[in-house]
Amino acid sequence: MAPYIYNELEAEVGELRLVDLQPGSYHDTLQCNIVHCPLLESKAAAKDERLPISNLQRSLPDGWIVERTLDGRYLFMSPRHSGISNSWKHPGANFDEKAYELPKRSADDASLWHVPPYEALSYTWGTTDNEEFVYVADPADPSQTSSWLRVRANLANALKHLRYPDRQRTLWVDAISINQADIYERGRQVKRMSQIYPLSDNVIIWIGPESEDSKLALETLRYFSEQVEYIISHRWGDAPNAQERDWWRDGHRLPYEAKTWKSIVSLLHRPWFERVWVLQEALSSDRVRLQCGRDSIPWVNVRKALLVLRQKTSVLPPDIRGRLFTYARGLMAPPLASSEHLLLWTRNQKCTDPHDRIYGILGLLDPRIVAKIEVDYSISVWKTYSRLVLAEQEVYQKLNMLNHCNITTRGEGHPSWVPNWQQPIEGANTGYLSIRRFYASARSSAVAKLIEPAYHLHITGRRVDTISRVSHILNGTFPEVIREILDWAPRKPRNDTYISGGSYIDAYVEVLVRGRTSDRAQGNNPCPSIRQL
């Protein structure tokens, strides 16, 4: 019996490899068929025919708000202090439910993509210790085993738990479905992740066998998630028909013993929660389940529970608070967060290849940015990072990525304008969640041009002022800090015109709030104006 030899995928028809996992009990040898199938885009993609939220909002009584939840449903939020529960139903008794209810996915949807129904597996590769064999059937005679593949222990364990006892199960598994020895195929398939996972019948997140009270952790997260709702405008509240109406409140203590908290911490420290790649797999579809041993829970319940728990920092045990601070930014993926936030999240995650701090989140980035980034593992890591900076600038006309450049962490020989995304984040910024909408340049566009072959970034700027004095670092006592801030006050008459326009006192006020004013913020925002301050 020989090692399995991969046949080349036909890129012209969008082929991918599916694994037909043969039935068996846990201790049986692993056997499968590997088949090539086309995955072609449908010309009749399903449309969301619900009313836009803006239209629904106009139909609501005073005080009511309608928002979209993490799983795409419309939540009708009652007026504050009204005593009325939030609801999945429009408060107008005769309002047509089809105008706002999430349509169910048709069983015929997969056929529109010319591919057999399959499930996509999200897991971590793990170490090369204790590898096992998967035996591959002969394509000419499926009853005969002709070759084998080596797989790592974590994948073998997942396949043994997932296979059915009486029928085959069709999966897409990257370690088998992609020829990992072919760097060009890897690059092409990485670009297709935004199709492969969303178009699967289900995504299965495998986090390992049952241990360390994992059953208790999943049951706790499930029940908590059923009491709360989280909406994409970064707000949260009680779920319709919640039995525990106050559990969503930041300061409300939860009735959990130390054993319960420890089980959740252990769950969040499993390798799956520490890797870069798996996040886009988990957020790619609304048909995702997280499985631990034989127990499973919808992923949206886990995501919702962790996001709301993250807000209860004052009542969480320190160990779980610390873990949620580093992980929650990823759960805020678009439309909740920008690519900048996702890249910050990757810096505290693990990946084998540093290219994957970019490639591993492509499925979550703006398609306009993804279109400008070629997946190429043969180029240097810093060039991959530079392509992201240039794509962001071209699409958004902003240079936000320069905020993350640091001369002390700059890679040797790398351009100074390329952030080192391999450097972990430390300190207070680790858990930063809010969405960036504030820019010193307000709504003006950044103008930048790459000068090759030197790889210099030429940026057009405007000289606004010169630095006349530098203050002490604000690290003293509170009265000392206040005195230092008062010392920043303008020496000239307050109504004199500042060089960039406006008065000196306006410029001083802007410094104190770091430019977070409605005069500079983009889009809808709750910030006061300079004049109000």
Side-chain angles (χ1 to χ4, degrees):
M1 191 180 301
Y4 179 74
I5 298 175
Y6 281 92
N7 294 319
E8 189 173 348
L9 293 172
E10 292 188 32
E12 295 78 11
V13 295
E15 274 191 340
L16 73 163
R17 294 186 190 90
L18 296 180
V19 178
D20 289 335
L21 184 62
Q22 298 305 298
S25 63
Y26 181 83
H27 295 289
D28 292 341
T29 57
L30 288 165
Q31 299 186 31
C32 73
N33 302 330
I34 297 178
V35 296
H36 289 207
C37 298
L39 183 65
L40 303 176
E41 294 224 12
S42 168
K43 295 181 180 179
K47 294 182 179 179
D48 187 346
E49 297 183 349
R50 295 177 296 175
L51 283 177
I53 281 183
S54 57
N55 290 14
L56 277 175
Q57 184 63 54
R58 288 194 290 270
S59 72
L60 293 175
D62 289 345
W64 282 83
I65 297 173
V66 59
E67 295 276 9
R68 183 170 178 162
T69 62
L70 296 176
D71 57 1
R73 300 174 73 182
Y74 287 168
L75 177 66
F76 296 94
M77 304 182 73
S78 60
R80 283 177 177 266
H81 312 299
S82 66
I84 303 173
S85 299
N86 296 332
S87 176
W88 300 120
K89 302 292 185 182
H90 193 288
N94 299 320
F95 204 88
D96 186 2
E97 293 182 359
K98 292 181 180 179
Y100 57 83
E101 285 196 341
L102 186 67
K104 294 183 179 180
R105 186 172 185 252
S106 168
D108 298 328
D109 287 351
S111 64
L112 297 174
W113 294 81
H114 312 291
V115 66
Y118 68 95
E119 297 170 284
L121 184 61
S122 175
Y123 68 105
T124 59
W125 281 40
T127 67
T128 57
D129 299 336
N130 303 316
E131 288 185 324
E132 298 189 33
F133 290 103
V134 175
Y135 296 97
V136 184
D138 186 339
D141 184 2
S143 64
Q144 299 295 317
T145 300
S146 64
S147 56
W148 51 263
L149 282 167
R150 288 183 189 273
V151 298
R152 299 185 183 184
N154 188 45
L155 175 56
N157 201 355
L159 296 177
K160 291 175 181 179
H161 276 84
L162 294 173
R163 65 178 163 188
Y164 295 130
D166 54 354
R167 65 190 188 279
Q168 77 175 23
R169 190 171 191 175
T170 302
L171 303 169
W172 186 90
V173 184
D174 62 354
I176 300 176
S177 299
I178 299 175
N179 181 2
Q180 299 295 330
D182 185 340
I183 194 171
Y184 299 106
E185 179 178 308
R186 280 174 58 200
R188 290 194 301 270
Q189 293 299 299
V190 166
K191 285 283 256 187
R192 302 192 69 196
M193 294 297 179
S194 59
Q195 290 181 328
I196 291 171
Y197 281 88
L199 296 175
S200 64
D201 271 18
N202 297 290
V203 175
I204 306 162
I205 298 171
W206 170 257
I207 64 171
E210 180 182 349
S211 66
E212 298 179 298
D213 290 318
S214 56
K215 182 186 289 287
L216 173 62
L218 293 184
E219 289 174 350
T220 302
L221 291 174
R222 182 198 299 274
Y223 185 74
F224 179 77
S225 71
E226 291 169 351
Q227 313 311 311
V228 299
E229 275 301 331
Y230 199 96
I231 56 179
I232 62 174
S233 62
H234 190 47
R235 296 172 60 190
W236 53 98
D238 58 305
N241 303 316
Q243 293 180 307
E244 316 291 351
R245 293 283 302 276
D246 293 324
W247 278 22
W248 67 275
R249 299 185 185 279
D250 298 357
H252 184 85
R253 291 188 177 277
L254 300 173
Y256 297 152
E257 299 176 351
K259 179 182 178 181
T260 302
W261 287 119
K262 184 178 179 181
S263 72
I264 297 173
V265 171
S266 297
L267 195 80
L268 295 179
H269 279 289
R270 290 191 178 226
W272 187 89
F273 287 97
E274 298 176 345
R275 307 299 293 184
V276 168
W277 263 106
V278 294
L279 183 70
Q280 68 172 352
E281 299 164 1
L283 299 180
S284 62
S285 169
D286 57 2
R287 302 173 304 281
V288 185
R289 293 191 71 84
L290 181 144
Q291 183 161 338
C292 184
R294 300 294 181 186
D295 303 309
S296 69
I297 178 177
W299 165 248
V300 70
N301 290 51
V302 177
R303 185 185 180 196
K304 179 171 54 172
L306 296 181
L307 279 170
V308 178
L309 283 174
R310 166 61 180 78
Q311 313 306 325
K312 301 172 74 68
T313 53
S314 63
V315 296
L316 292 179
D319 47 359
I320 193 169
R321 182 169 62 237
R323 185 68 188 106
L324 284 175
F325 262 51
T326 58
Y327 193 71
R329 184 185 281 114
L331 297 174
M332 293 285 295
L336 296 173
S338 65
S339 56
E340 185 179 4
H341 279 76
L342 288 173
L343 287 161
L344 289 172
W345 174 82
T346 69
R347 290 174 64 172
N348 285 93
Q349 298 296 109
K350 297 177 182 178
C351 59
T352 304
D353 190 322
H355 291 87
D356 288 336
R357 298 195 186 278
I358 304 298
Y359 299 156
I361 58 169
L362 284 181
L364 300 174
L365 300 184
D366 187 326
R368 295 174 296 171
I369 291 176
V370 175
K372 299 179 182 299
I373 298 176
E374 179 185 356
V375 177
D376 185 353
Y377 285 94
S378 66
I379 65 173
S380 61
V381 173
W382 72 262
K383 279 203 171 181
T384 297
Y385 296 172
S386 73
R387 289 178 176 180
L388 189 281
V389 174
L390 296 171
E392 277 262 332
Q393 190 279 325
E394 187 174 345
V395 171
Y396 300 134
Q397 282 82 54
K398 295 292 178 185
L399 289 166
N400 299 343
M401 294 300 170
L402 298 188
N403 291 327
H404 308 289
C405 297
N406 189 319
I407 199 68
T408 61
T409 59
R410 174 185 175 187
E412 185 176 354
H414 299 178
S416 62
W417 54 272
V418 178
N420 182 3
W421 296 114
Q422 299 180 67
Q423 186 71 23
I425 302 173
E426 298 178 354
N429 286 332
T430 300
Y432 181 65
L433 273 181
S434 59
I435 302 171
R436 183 184 181 89
R437 291 176 177 167
F438 305 95
Y439 304 91
S441 57
R443 294 174 175 80
S444 60
S445 299
V447 179
K449 180 181 180 182
L450 180 64
I451 307 298
E452 296 187 282
Y455 240 76
H456 292 164
L457 191 65
H458 185 275
I459 299 173
T460 301
R462 179 185 293 273
R463 178 175 294 174
V464 176
D465 206 346
T466 56
I467 297 173
S468 58
R469 58 195 175 98
V470 178
S471 77
H472 298 292
I473 299 175
L474 298 178
N475 60 1
T477 64
F478 182 74
E480 289 172 341
V481 169
I482 292 298
R483 281 196 296 271
E484 189 64 42
I485 290 175
L486 290 174
D487 190 53
W488 297 350
R491 301 289 191 265
K492 296 186 177 183
R494 293 187 170 193
N495 292 326
D496 276 15
T497 302
Y498 192 59
I499 190 169
S500 60
S503 67
Y504 268 86
I505 191 61
D506 287 352
Y508 175 62
V509 167
E510 268 204 281
V511 168
L512 297 183
V513 297
R514 296 189 299 166
R516 292 171 181 262
T517 67
S518 60
D519 307 76
R520 293 193 182 277
Q522 291 188 327
N524 296 326
N525 63 86
C527 299
S529 66
I530 295 174
R531 185 55 54 197
Q532 288 173 318
L533 291 170

